[in-house]
Amino acid sequence: MVLVTLVLSLFHASLVGSQSTQSPGQACNPPHPTEQSPLGADSLSFPWSRLRLPRYIVPLHYHLLLHPNLTTLSFTGSLRIQIHVQNDTNWVVLHSKDLEISKATILDQNLTHLSDKVIPVLHNAAHEQAAIFSPRVLNAGQTYFLYIEFRAELTEGFYGFYRSNYRTSAGKIRTLASTHFEPTSARMAFPCFDEPSFKANYSIMIRRSPEHIALSNMPVEKTVELNDGLLEDHFAVSVKMSTYLVAFVICDFKSVTATTSSGIQVSIYAAPEKRQQTHYALEVAVKMLDFYEKYFNILYPLPKQDLIAIPDFQSGAMENWGLTTYRETSLLYDPLTSSTADKLWVTMVIGHELAHQWFGNLVTMEWWNDIWLNEGFARYMEYISVEATYPELRVEDYLLDTCFAAVAQDSLNSSHPISSPAESPTQIKEMFDSVSYDKGACVLHMLRHFLTDDVFQSGIVRYLRKYSYSNAQNQDLWDSLANTCSEEDFTSGKHCYSSSQASKNAYLFAGEHLDLTAMMNTWTLQKGIPLITVTRNGSHLLLRQERFLRTVLPSDPLWSTLQQGYLWHIPLTYKTDISSTIHHHLMAAHTDNLHIGEEVGWVKVNTDMTGYYVVHYEGNGWDELTKLLRENHTALSYRDRTHLIHNAFQLVTAGHLSLKKALDLIGYLRLEKHTVPLLEGLGYLKAFYRIVEKRNAYDLTNNMGMYILHFFHDVIGQQTWSDTGSVSKRRLRSELLSLACHLDDPPCLQRANQSFRDWLQSNGTLNLPTDVAETVYSVGAQDDHGWASLFHTYTISFSETHKHKILSALASSRDINKLHRLLELGLEGKVIRSQDLSSLIFMVARNPQGHHLAWNFVKKNWGTLVHKFQLGSFCIRTIIIGTTGQFSSPEELTEVQLFFQSIKEQASQLRATQVALDNVQKNVLWVQRNLGPLRNWLNEQMN
């Protein structure tokens, strides 16, 4: 095979049309064309200097033939791309990464070669780009075909076209090949214009052996038998879509199939011996597609939707159009070993990925800076869809946790705006974080409540219809929600009303027409979350907004600098004791004043936490709310009670409220019957315990544990070791018994040990109640025989959710040698899959015996971890933030800083390293300010 490629580590940027002042989104001028260009690659310089591709060539249709070889673990391919040229040029620049291009040629509309000579292909490895030179000018306004032949290895990791395997019950290893392209890895499978705005159609053909099947975005139209015994599947032409949504899988999986009410064929694929775990997912997927077609009032545009469980998968799932791929724990449900939490997770993930078939696939963000338009919407639609289709799962109880997770990151100075610049693949990967997903969802939740359900729903339907098979930006969403559009759109009468009509029927708020764009820009274009300080002054509430920060105290000299320039347009809501009415007010200034009346006793701001902001009650405001909770806590909704608990402890960390006041606030929890506020209060006590148990403060650790067990004694005693009751009761049982056994509660340990002995005597065939299985295993894992038995069960289990529970138990061992063995097995990637290594590291770091072990493991194996997971990936973030998040001393902070300095070249590219430093700094501040008060408060309670 003759390669005509030239890898250039340095390239020249002096060609026409590559001025650095030009914005990335503009249509760029090509290098100056010439008819007499020499064909020797040595005489050519790479013609493009930017990370983003030039806009003067647009792909229309990819004809892709692939032949993956699952024996040699490599693949060959040929590709014909129909392209439209918008400016005269000699160059076609596109993406290619780790592909060996053996042949490239350009043909005209009649498929005639433009040259009879070998065409040079140049590479810029740093930018993952290839440039193909045409000896004849490609003329503006004309269509051409780019033909490329290439080969590559099936990669070892989780991106591009990669290999995976699974073990049969007979012990045989089966190999498969699968894809994961989002955000920038389609270029690892075939040369392409790998940016979301380059949408095109795809005609895909895949060669395979008869014992395998091939799946892609579209159904197979025909299968051709080749001379060498291979089969070639020809898939139907796809709809117009972005490269990152292309997918193909070659495997020997089995499926179950059903049909939606509109005739869409839905199939769930899994390894043959896991087929019995696919039935619940099939039921969910059919229900979800039916729901979304009604909610969006747009039919799903493909004839089929496949969902497939891939044994090796880094993220939770991926929304490839018509072929969504999943980690096994995100798709498979085993009634014998999966808990109610596992069931909810599968339901929500399917809801998320199928929402993407509209938000993300049908309408795609213009560029990765607005990935929240995909992920924020899909995260929010999880809650809307599951609440509508499976109300018994009580998914609305978890929305608060999503918003609390967003607050946790957004209250650090290292946070970023929802819409943020992202250019390199590493920067783009880092955009897939809690801000894009969780904050995006919570801002949409706030907007939905502000605009009303009907207005919100009709606005997003308008948005989806207007930008179908196209790309959109923030402004396009605000225009659709505000019912405004251009005169051209208005006269077509399809999507919206005129601006004048919008003024008449848009949202009148506080007597004025709302500027939705101005309001929403304050939530998407600036980072952070507002803090509303409420002061009662007779019949008035005085309001003040500022940026809420947990890493810098108000007394710090940096405080005022970090506050400058921040202002939000906040849709406030509040309730009082004299009425059930929810009052609304739009706060668009730093200070404001509300008249509530002299007769009002208490005020609760941010009703049900529909707004994305933290509230602090100055003066005796917190005392009044504490008194209310103790005397009549049901006067507030369970969401309001949960919100008060969350805000109080966040304000403690930020230095606005004393720890004593927050702890006094949750004193009412003995009376609490609802799971959500109970778990919120318990969560903070558990977090404090986990901090002190890692600091060798034995007296404080002991007192803290005794207090938690004493305080929650009655509710712990009410728990049964079973799987009975509502989803909420089962969630509470799982959390309470896990903590009680961790705190060495004698009745809990006695019952768990007995259950574990029963399990051992059955040789692992006894199915423990799924809600308490992990707790039982964790207790049993503390001795050598129990640990070894669990490890053996881990190696032979066919349920990934079961294996996850066992792995968590194994990682709870107090034996350092066992923890070290687990980490080494995770790094090796055979017994413990590489996909589970990041969560394993976090599990070990959470263990008081393992937090320094995990950190030292990360430092020692940093290069290997980056090679496995790629810089900027979710796994690398989990590893960095999960290990360092356990630290709370100045010495540990210094150690983390020194390590990040030692990997400066990589650390400087990562936002996660700054998030990690902020987290440790926050912990250090918390300990310095609150360890003494916590000790004193506990002493008072114990006496």
Side-chain angles (χ1 to χ4, degrees):
M1 182 182 297
V2 178
L3 298 179
V4 282
T5 62
L6 175 67
V7 178
L8 301 178
S9 58
L10 296 172
F11 54 91
H12 303 289
S14 58
L15 297 168
V16 175
S18 45
Q19 290 87 354
S20 60
T21 54
Q22 185 180 349
S23 72
Q26 289 176 312
C28 306
N29 293 322
H32 192 70
T34 172
E35 294 287 358
Q36 302 298 323
S37 298
L39 282 184
D42 292 337
S43 64
L44 298 171
S45 298
F46 199 88
W48 193 248
S49 64
R50 298 190 197 141
L51 277 168
R52 293 205 213 175
L53 295 179
R55 311 297 300 178
Y56 55 79
I57 290 184
V58 177
L60 304 176
H61 198 134
Y62 291 78
H63 295 263
L64 175 63
L65 169 64
L66 287 169
H67 179 196
N69 188 319
L70 299 187
T71 303
T72 63
L73 302 178
S74 61
F75 66 96
T76 56
S78 61
L79 175 67
R80 190 175 81 234
I81 312 175
Q82 184 182 13
I83 57 174
H84 180 72
V85 177
Q86 297 183 343
N87 297 83
D88 289 358
T89 183
N90 291 95
W91 289 98
V92 179
V93 180
L94 72 172
H95 288 109
S96 175
K97 181 182 179 184
D98 298 333
L99 299 174
E100 295 177 16
I101 295 177
S102 56
K103 180 180 181 182
T105 187
I106 299 175
L107 305 92
D108 63 19
Q109 294 181 66
N110 301 316
L111 299 182
T112 303
H113 289 260
L114 297 189
S115 172
D116 56 0
K117 298 178 181 178
V118 173
I119 292 183
V121 180
L122 275 60
H123 287 262
N124 175 5
H127 288 186
E128 303 174 355
Q129 293 171 356
I132 297 169
F133 179 79
S134 170
R136 280 174 49 190
V137 174
L138 306 178
N139 295 313
Q142 297 299 308
T143 299
Y144 297 88
F145 291 91
L146 181 63
Y147 179 79
I148 303 172
E149 293 178 6
F150 57 95
R151 71 165 303 279
E153 303 298 312
L154 291 169
T155 64
E156 277 191 73
F158 305 94
Y159 290 100
F161 196 11
Y162 70 94
R163 59 187 188 253
S164 177
N165 62 65
Y166 69 94
R167 176 182 50 82
T168 69
S169 56
K172 293 187 176 180
I173 301 298
R174 303 278 193 225
T175 302
L176 62 140
S178 182
T179 57
H180 185 99
F181 293 160
E182 190 178 35
T184 59
S185 295
R187 63 194 69 172
M188 298 173 70
F190 57 98
C192 56
F193 297 81
D194 200 9
E195 294 177 5
S197 62
F198 285 119
K199 291 194 170 186
N201 301 101
Y202 292 82
S203 296
I204 294 174
M205 297 179 289
I206 295 177
R207 289 180 181 169
R208 59 177 173 87
S209 60
E211 66 265 25
H212 291 114
I213 60 169
L215 302 171
S216 188
N217 306 84
M218 301 298 289
V220 173
E221 275 194 333
K222 67 175 181 178
T223 298
V224 178
E225 192 168 341
L226 305 178
N227 294 333
D228 51 7
L230 293 175
L231 301 177
E232 186 176 277
D233 290 326
H234 295 227
F235 295 88
V237 179
S238 80
V239 294
K240 195 176 174 187
M241 62 184 182
S242 304
T243 47
Y244 77 88
L245 295 171
V246 175
F248 26 88
V249 181
I250 297 85
C251 62
D252 64 350
F253 285 6
K254 302 299 181 187
S255 64
V256 293
T257 300
T259 306
T260 69
S261 58
S262 63
I264 307 302
Q265 182 175 295
V266 179
S267 301
I268 315 293
Y269 287 84
E273 290 175 276
K274 296 182 180 180
R275 186 180 178 186
Q276 74 277 11
Q277 300 176 38
T278 59
H279 296 288
Y280 178 67
L282 182 64
E283 173 199 308
V284 173
V286 170
K287 268 193 180 184
M288 288 289 182
L289 279 175
D290 281 340
F291 167 77
Y292 283 134
E293 286 192 327
K294 291 186 181 75
Y295 187 88
F296 295 134
N297 198 21
I298 298 171
L299 290 176
Y300 175 75
L302 308 188
K304 62 94 174 175
Q305 172 64 241
D306 296 333
L307 301 84
I308 183 168
I310 305 296
D312 296 285
F313 202 84
Q314 183 175 172
S315 57
M318 177 59 208
E319 66 264 23
N320 319 298
W321 217 344
L323 176 58
T324 51
T325 48
Y326 298 77
R327 186 181 277 238
E328 289 187 333
T329 52
S330 300
L331 188 67
L332 304 183
Y333 175 76
D334 179 3
L336 296 177
T337 59
S338 299
S339 67
T340 184
D342 298 327
K343 188 175 196 177
L344 176 64
W345 174 250
V346 167
T347 314
M348 291 179 75
V349 174
I350 294 173
H352 182 105
E353 301 311 325
L354 295 186
H356 271 311
Q357 307 303 297
W358 286 264
F359 273 103
N361 299 9
L362 186 64
V363 179
T364 312
M365 74 278 141
E366 185 77 28
W367 182 252
W368 301 106
N369 63 305
D370 281 332
I371 186 60
W372 86 278
L373 290 174
N374 286 19
E375 299 301 348
F377 259 108
R379 172 59 54 89
Y380 189 43
M381 290 309 300
E382 292 173 27
Y383 294 97
I384 294 176
S385 63
V386 177
E387 190 173 356
T389 54
Y390 291 90
E392 70 277 9
L393 291 179
R394 297 285 303 172
V395 71
E396 63 272 20
D397 289 356
Y398 293 80
L399 180 58
L400 289 175
D401 290 334
T402 292
C403 297
F404 294 161
V407 173
Q409 180 167 342
D410 217 18
S411 55
L412 304 176
N413 194 42
S414 51
S415 187
H416 63 91
I418 284 179
S419 183
S420 295
E423 295 296 322
S424 71
T426 296
Q427 291 169 343
I428 291 167
K429 286 188 189 78
E430 282 212 305
M431 288 297 292
F432 291 77
D433 68 354
S434 185
V435 171
S436 297
Y437 284 72
D438 299 332
K439 181 179 179 179
C442 295
V443 166
L444 289 170
H445 181 60
M446 176 172 66
L447 186 58
R448 180 187 177 204
H449 278 266
F450 179 59
L451 299 178
T452 73
D453 289 1
D454 289 345
V455 171
F456 179 81
Q457 184 176 353
S458 63
I460 61 174
V461 169
R462 253 192 310 278
Y463 168 80
L464 289 171
R465 286 183 174 170
K466 182 172 182 180
Y467 298 101
S468 289
Y469 305 104
S470 185
N471 299 80
Q473 302 176 20
N474 271 350
Q475 187 62 51
D476 301 320
L477 177 61
W478 311 144
D479 288 346
S480 297
L481 286 165
N483 239 354
T484 59
C485 53
S486 68
E487 193 61 31
E488 181 184 347
D489 287 327
F490 171 58
T491 53
S492 70
K494 290 181 180 177
H495 310 294
C496 48
Y497 304 107
S498 67
S499 296
S500 58
Q501 181 64 30
S503 300
K504 294 174 188 173
N505 65 357
Y507 328 106
L508 297 176
F509 210 77
E512 297 179 14
H513 172 56
L514 170 71
D515 185 343
L516 190 66
T517 297
M519 172 183 160
M520 294 312 298
N521 281 348
T522 70
W523 296 99
T524 59
L525 302 184
Q526 67 180 349
K527 68 180 177 181
I529 178 171
L531 168 65
I532 303 296
T533 300
V534 180
T535 308
R536 180 73 181 270
N537 185 11
S539 61
H540 286 78
L541 284 185
L542 306 181
L543 306 174
R544 181 177 80 250
Q545 67 159 292
E546 61 195 35
R547 184 182 173 199
F548 180 62
L549 284 166
R550 293 187 301 154
T551 45
V552 181
L553 301 177
S555 57
D556 193 298
L558 270 177
W559 173 260
S560 57
T561 304
L562 294 173
Q563 292 291 335
Q564 286 176 9
Y566 285 89
L567 176 70
W568 286 266
H569 294 190
I570 306 169
L572 288 176
T573 54
Y574 64 94
K575 283 180 74 172
T576 71
D577 59 335
I578 62 170
S579 164
S580 60
T581 303
I582 299 174
H583 302 275
H584 298 263
H585 177 74
L586 186 63
M587 183 180 181
H590 285 104
T591 59
D592 215 332
N593 190 322
L594 293 178
H595 181 269
I596 58 169
E598 292 281 357
E599 67 279 13
V600 167
W602 55 261
V603 179
K604 165 65 177 67
V605 178
N606 198 357
T607 306
D608 287 339
M609 201 188 164
T610 52
Y612 183 70
Y613 54 92
V614 176
V615 183
H616 175 41
Y617 302 89
E618 273 194 338
N620 63 351
W622 281 108
D623 296 332
E624 288 178 356
L625 290 166
T626 299
K627 182 171 181 284
L628 171 66
L629 289 175
R630 287 190 170 168
E631 294 177 355
N632 183 21
H633 68 278
T634 55
L636 296 173
S637 69
Y638 83 86
R639 290 188 182 93
D640 274 337
R641 303 195 297 271
T642 308
H643 178 237
L644 284 175
I645 295 168
H646 170 267
N647 278 196
F649 284 104
Q650 294 298 308
L651 290 162
V652 170
T653 305
H656 294 279
L657 191 67
S658 71
L659 179 62
K660 182 181 185 306
K661 287 206 173 188
L663 289 167
D664 287 346
L665 179 84
I666 62 170
Y668 93 96
L669 283 177
R670 281 195 179 95
L671 309 169
E672 182 62 75
K673 301 298 182 189
H674 200 287
T675 295
V676 176
L678 256 176
L679 288 181
E680 185 66 15
L682 180 66
Y684 281 105
L685 295 176
K686 183 165 76 172
F688 300 159
Y689 181 85
R690 289 198 175 275
I691 286 176
V692 298
E693 76 172 338
K694 293 185 177 74
R695 296 185 59 81
N696 300 323
Y698 300 113
D699 62 326
L700 184 56
T701 304
N702 187 52
N703 283 349
M704 189 84 213
M706 286 174 60
Y707 172 75
I708 293 171
L709 289 174
H710 175 71
F711 187 82
F712 290 99
H713 176 269
D714 290 348
V715 69
I716 291 172
Q718 293 163 10
Q719 303 310 309
T720 60
W721 293 69
S722 67
D723 282 340
T724 58
S726 67
V727 169
S728 293
K729 282 187 170 61
R730 294 178 65 178
R731 180 187 178 196
L732 182 65
R733 171 190 303 137
S734 183
E735 294 280 350
L736 279 174
L737 293 179
S738 173
L739 181 59
C741 281
H742 181 73
L743 297 178
D744 294 331
D745 177 48
C748 186
L749 291 176
Q750 183 181 353
R751 182 61 188 268
N753 274 311
Q754 182 57 54
S755 295
F756 190 70
R757 284 193 294 270
D758 294 343
W759 180 80
L760 282 177
Q761 287 169 7
S762 74
N763 289 322
T765 59
L766 174 69
N767 287 307
L768 294 167
T770 58
D771 297 334
V772 297
E774 188 174 325
T775 296
V776 172
Y777 292 150
S778 295
V779 171
Q782 299 313 313
D783 68 52
D784 290 347
H785 177 60
W787 198 92
S789 300
L790 283 165
F791 183 78
H792 172 71
T793 303
Y794 180 87
T795 62
I796 61 172
S797 174
F798 276 83
S799 165
E800 287 302 313
T801 55
H802 189 215
K803 290 177 73 171
H804 182 81
K805 293 176 180 64
I806 294 174
L807 188 60
S808 178
L810 293 170
S812 73
S813 171
R814 295 181 176 93
D815 186 333
I816 293 287
N817 292 326
K818 289 186 174 67
L819 299 179
H820 186 264
R821 181 184 173 195
L822 286 177
L823 290 172
E824 290 299 328
L825 287 170
L827 192 67
E828 183 188 48
K830 293 179 181 175
V831 176
I832 299 173
R833 290 184 182 271
S834 294
Q835 67 171 13
D836 298 318
L837 178 56
S838 61
S839 24
L840 171 62
I841 292 170
F842 177 68
M843 290 171 185
V844 173
R846 202 172 48 188
N847 184 333
Q849 306 302 318
H851 65 299
H852 284 118
L853 175 71
W855 172 239
N856 290 330
F857 175 83
V858 170
K859 290 192 294 182
K860 178 184 175 184
N861 297 289
W862 174 252
T864 305
L865 294 171
V866 170
H867 177 72
K868 273 183 182 288
F869 299 118
Q870 293 197 6
L871 209 59
S873 68
F874 172 77
C875 283
I876 289 295
R877 283 205 305 280
T878 300
I879 289 167
I880 291 173
I881 297 169
T883 50
T884 58
Q886 314 298 318
F887 297 152
S888 60
S889 72
E891 295 77 20
E892 289 167 330
L893 176 59
T894 301
E895 187 180 332
V896 174
Q897 288 170 329
L898 287 173
F899 175 65
F900 289 163
Q901 286 171 14
S902 74
I903 55 163
K904 190 174 181 179
E905 186 178 341
Q906 291 169 320
S908 63
Q909 300 177 54
L910 292 174
R911 188 184 293 117
T913 53
Q914 192 54 52
V915 173
L917 289 171
D918 274 1
N919 264 324
V920 181
Q921 179 68 47
K922 167 184 63 71
N923 293 347
V924 170
L925 280 172
W926 191 93
V927 166
Q928 288 173 347
R929 294 181 68 251
N930 295 301
L931 217 56
L934 179 62
R935 181 178 274 110
N936 295 337
W937 188 85
L938 283 171
N939 288 336
E940 288 175 17
Q941 303 302 310
M942 301 306 283
N943 293 331

